[in-house]
Amino acid sequence: MKKISLFFFLTIMIWTINRCSSVGQLTGSLSSSTNIVIVTNRPGIITNIIITTNNMTNFVTNYTIIWTSTNYGIETNTYLPLPTSLWVYVDSVPISSITNPELHFYEWQGTGSGDVLPLSNISAGGITWQVYHLTNFNYYKKYELKISDTNGTTWENINGGNGGKYKRIVTFPILSETWQTNWATTNTTASVTNISNYSYIIHRTKDKLFISPPANWYETFTYFFKDETNLLYSYTNLYPTNNIWNNEWFGAQYKGNGRTFFKLYAPNIRKAFVTGDFNNWTLTPMNLDRGRVFWWLELSNTSPAEAYKFVLEQYPDAWGGPYTNYISDPAAKKNEYSPAMNTAGNRSFIIDQNAYQWKHPWTRPDYDWYVIYQMHIRSWWTNGPGDYYGQGTFDSSTNNFPYLKDLGFTAIEPLPINEFAGDLSWGYNYVLFYAPESAYCGTNLRSPDALKRFVDQAHAQGMAVILDLVFNHMGSSDDVIASYDPAADWTWPNTYWYDGTTDWGPRFNYGNPVVRKFLIQSAEYFMKYYRIDAFRFDATA
């Protein structure tokens, strides 16, 4: 009886669609209890499909046939029915100071809002989670989620500090895991092609959200689903937070013997990865530290001068699920020109700062010793008359150090030498705070040693080197940080790096201790690895 019904159903379906579209026929089995009819005569066409199992029939109108010489496959963006509720798991430790906590939710551009009491506690990944259940949840909406006490007088610190600009905002739907079979095998009998082992994809919407509230507003208040295991299941093995704060530089730090430590501050992203020459440009997941501030990863298969980029998986700001963003390292020690926010462009490089052999011993002089000559590397006297125009480098500038010494100068102060947009600039628009400008370093884009030779030769002439630091703003173009933490958007994504604007570009958020450390540490880096003697600060007001 089942075979007769199925035959009748397939016959009617093929006749109906062929009558309208005059295309060929394909029939076959997904399993012993699942049959399918595909009506098409060429690959990639979007038409109609019927899936029949022993207990259900679905009519799907959006799918693609993938065609090779002998195989077929099906990909569909058909989603299983969206759930009507959301389970929220909240790490109880950061909110332990809140008495009788409850989950507050607010639906953007809608009427849904309310407060939900916890149902139970569950332990997973070394964390005790408070469980909340939001019913009548609309997955087509955007929600704000926060924890408060039952009186609404104490809130988790997500919305505290720095003017209350920070909120946890969740955009739904967020699509989850996919499932597919192997590719199809085919055989043809008469005018009908039979296919088995179809390849198809099913999307399931996740209904369990894990949240880690911040103890401090500047921490990364992550929210993950269960399969995002960098927090849930690696928690007990993570690098100590105080070590990352105090002992590791931002960006990539080569430690010798193939070891490189990567450190990134990228708040409110979903996942972070490192990709580069060392892993054939595949994605190696980064960890989130116990303090939920830094993403980090230590690899033991790296080499100096290898290229890399960070890859950020960010929460969606529109329908379509998370998206990835390939970025140069915001703390790159050497970059391939100024950052480009795409997959292939302008890579960062791992640098062995201990490889350079300094030739001239030097002790930093006292402040009353300085007689300062200011120069612009790119346009300063380069190779003699007739070659003044934009050709100067660190190496060419050293040719004229004896001239400056004869004039009686005891220190030289180049205009800012950090990586800026393009090759020609005074340098006050720089965008990488740890990397020397590529145009000044000569032809070797993977090494910053030209700056070290510059400093070494100056010291050989008895002259100190002063760097001009621009901590009052970020360059307005080629700003890699703004690609994932935009200064102009106070609603989504949440902004941690910047706080307002200046006449020259976005102003840093000095109220954020991570941002302060990022800037201060860049000066320390140049003192330690480039033997810089002193600093001039731009626009200190």
Side-chain angles (χ1 to χ4, degrees), residues 444-464:
N444 188 353
L445 297 178
R446 295 175 181 252
S447 172
D449 284 354
L451 176 57
K452 295 183 178 181
R453 293 192 294 269
F454 177 89
V455 175
D456 214 1
Q457 289 299 316
H459 290 169
Q461 298 292 329
M463 295 186 296

Side-chain angles (χ1 to χ4, degrees), residues 23-46:
V23 294
Q25 305 173 23
L26 302 175
T27 64
S29 298
L30 286 170
S31 67
S32 59
S33 61
T34 306
N35 295 279
I36 207 163
V37 177
I38 306 174
V39 183
T40 183
N41 64 351
R42 63 185 184 273
I45 192 171
I46 305 298

Side-chain angles (χ1 to χ4, degrees), residues 276-406:
D277 293 338
F278 40 81
N279 61 4
N280 295 317
W281 293 94
T282 58
L283 303 185
T284 302
M286 301 183 74
N287 302 295
L288 185 65
D289 81 288
R290 296 186 187 206
R292 304 173 185 85
V293 177
F294 297 112
W295 299 88
W296 68 274
L297 178 68
E298 188 169 44
L299 296 177
S300 58
N301 62 333
T302 61
S303 299
E306 285 188 311
Y308 71 96
K309 299 195 86 166
F310 288 123
V311 183
L312 310 183
E313 183 176 304
Q314 298 177 248
Y315 289 92
D317 52 9
W319 171 273
Y323 58 95
T324 55
N325 192 0
Y326 285 71
I327 66 168
S328 299
D329 183 354
K333 310 310 183 297
K334 184 68 183 68
N335 215 64
E336 187 177 32
Y337 309 115
S338 57
M341 279 60 78
N342 56 55
T343 303
N346 300 13
R347 303 161 297 173
S348 305
F349 299 106
I350 296 173
I351 300 301
D352 183 1
Q353 294 288 17
N354 296 315
Y356 182 81
Q357 299 297 313
W358 292 91
K359 298 177 176 59
H360 303 286
W362 180 255
T363 301
R364 290 189 179 101
D366 293 332
Y367 69 92
D368 57 354
W369 180 80
Y370 289 86
V371 179
I372 303 170
Y373 183 93
Q374 188 179 48
M375 68 171 69
H376 180 215
I377 296 291
R378 202 64 170 142
S379 60
W380 196 51
W381 191 358
T382 55
N383 297 315
D387 191 13
Y388 288 92
Y389 305 106
Q391 303 301 317
T393 64
F394 290 127
D395 286 323
S396 68
S397 298
T398 63
N399 296 331
N400 299 289
F401 283 173
Y403 167 74
L404 295 181
K405 181 180 180 181
D406 289 344

Side-chain angles (χ1 to χ4, degrees), residues 220-238:
T220 302
F221 51 81
T222 52
Y223 37 106
F224 296 107
F225 291 94
K226 190 173 182 179
D227 60 324
E228 296 163 335
T229 58
N230 52 354
L231 180 64
L232 298 184
Y233 299 104
S234 301
Y235 185 83
T236 56
N237 299 320
L238 296 188

